[in-house]
Amino acid sequence: MKKQVIANFKMNMTPSEIKNYIISLAPNFKSEKVDITLALPFVALSLGKFLLSGTNIFVGAQNLSEEESGTFTGETSGAMLKDIGVQSVIVGHSERRSKFKETGRAINKKIKIALKNRLQVILCVGETLTDKNSMKTLSVLSGQIDEALKGLYENELENILIAYEPVWAIGTGKVATSKEIEEGVKAIRKSIEHSFSKKAGDEIGVLYGGSINAKNISQIISCKGVNGVLVGGACLDCANFMHIISACEASK
Ligand code: PEP
């Protein structure tokens, strides 16, 4: 699998600012070695698709509705995302779990709708500091994965990436050590193996996310079992993000 570099813009930058960002980024990106996805705010998705046509940079959404359509004011459906050419969607980000009270059941419904609409899913899982301090990291990861992937067929995993994002590392400047990352990634693969098969556990794409920056990227991308990264704050500066991409291109 090519290394995956996913930028989560969160609720940052206006469409005009994103336009300038893409104009700076796109001509500089020529590598065949990494796949880049910009997970943009909803209001910038169509613009992003338009500006990135003819490049090999993908456009992703940061969320979708757990419902297919209907009386859900303010929601965005999987079909709507597909219709404007969005290729992937982040599901289960810890900010949505904690700030929007998104449950495992809702995450499972969202994943099924995304897959039905042929959107690649970037499923985020990760333990809180309390979980970590009470040695519950591995059980939390497997619990979140079991809930999220309940009822899925093994062949559907082809369209799912799992991002290991320890909650205590997101936006905090605290980065997990290589050992912690490798243990988390291994637990994710074991959990997939347990629910599906050894082959599925070996082959699923696993990313790391949490306070990645231009300085720590080389250490993180070289961790065993890591197929890519999910970058939040550090993607907002285009030059910084380019540096992160270059480090991923350079990794073996
Ligand atoms: C994220 O929110 O997915 C993330 C990884 O954020 P940050 O890089 O800012 O920690």
Side-chain angles (χ1 to χ4, degrees):
M1 176 187 298
K2 278 191 192 176
K3 292 271 190 264
Q4 306 293 310
V5 184
I6 297 166
N8 179 9
F9 280 59
K10 310 195 188 193
M11 196 174 73
N12 291 301
M13 296 169 97
T14 62
S16 313
E17 290 165 339
I18 289 173
K19 180 178 172 196
N20 291 335
Y21 180 102
I22 290 176
I23 289 170
S24 307
L25 176 77
N28 290 314
F29 176 68
K30 299 199 178 57
S31 171
E32 295 299 315
K33 283 181 158 175
V34 297
D35 280 340
I36 297 182
T37 298
L38 304 185
L40 301 173
F42 284 131
V43 290
L45 289 171
S46 289
L47 174 73
K49 273 306 292 180
F50 173 72
L51 294 172
L52 291 167
S53 68
T55 74
N56 46 4
I57 301 177
F58 301 110
V59 172
Q62 299 170 18
N63 184 29
L64 81 166
S65 174
E66 66 188 79
E67 304 295 343
E68 297 210 33
S69 66
T71 52
F72 302 100
T73 303
E75 290 289 274
T76 302
S77 73
M80 290 171 187
L81 296 176
K82 187 67 189 176
D83 186 69
I84 60 167
V86 165
Q87 282 119 334
S88 59
V89 60
I90 297 175
V91 179
H93 191 281
S94 64
E95 287 157 12
R96 295 217 58 89
R97 291 179 194 259
S98 65
K99 296 180 185 174
F100 299 92
K101 308 289 170 241
E102 213 165 88
T103 62
R105 187 164 177 273
I107 290 166
N108 178 250
K109 284 176 79 182
K110 288 181 180 204
I111 291 175
K112 287 179 176 161
I113 288 181
L115 294 175
K116 189 173 169 191
N117 285 287
R118 297 185 313 287
L119 294 164
Q120 181 192 46
V121 171
I122 301 146
L123 166 66
C124 300
V125 294
E127 80 285 1
T128 62
L129 191 57
T130 313
D131 297 330
K132 175 175 150 65
N133 290 341
S134 43
M135 316 291 275
K136 288 193 184 139
T137 298
L138 304 189
S139 62
V140 166
L141 293 178
S142 66
Q144 288 179 349
I145 288 171
D146 286 354
E147 276 185 319
L149 304 185
K150 199 169 171 187
L152 262 59
Y153 296 104
E154 182 166 333
N155 65 353
E156 293 178 293
L157 299 180
E158 273 176 18
N159 292 316
I160 298 180
L161 295 170
I162 302 184
Y164 173 42
E165 296 213 304
V167 179
W168 49 269
I170 295 180
T172 58
K174 290 186 190 131
V175 188
T177 62
S178 297
K179 185 166 176 277
E180 287 168 333
I181 295 173
E182 288 176 1
E183 280 173 4
V185 168
K186 192 168 161 200
I188 288 169
R189 294 191 184 283
K190 276 277 163 217
S191 181
I192 296 289
E193 178 179 334
H194 182 256
S195 305
F196 297 93
S197 70
K198 166 126 183 39
K199 182 170 179 284
D202 288 344
E203 290 182 358
I204 186 110
V206 185
L207 319 179
Y208 172 79
S211 294
I212 289 177
N213 59 38
K215 288 201 180 117
N216 60 30
I217 181 64
S218 299
Q219 170 233 317
I220 290 166
I221 198 68
S222 60
C223 287
K224 189 160 178 255
V226 170
N227 302 112
V229 287
L230 180 49
V231 185
C235 76
L236 298 174
D237 177 83
C238 189
N240 221 8
F241 188 49
M242 287 295 299
H243 192 97
I244 291 172
I245 295 169
S246 304
C248 291
E249 284 172 335
S251 79
K252 296 256 163 58

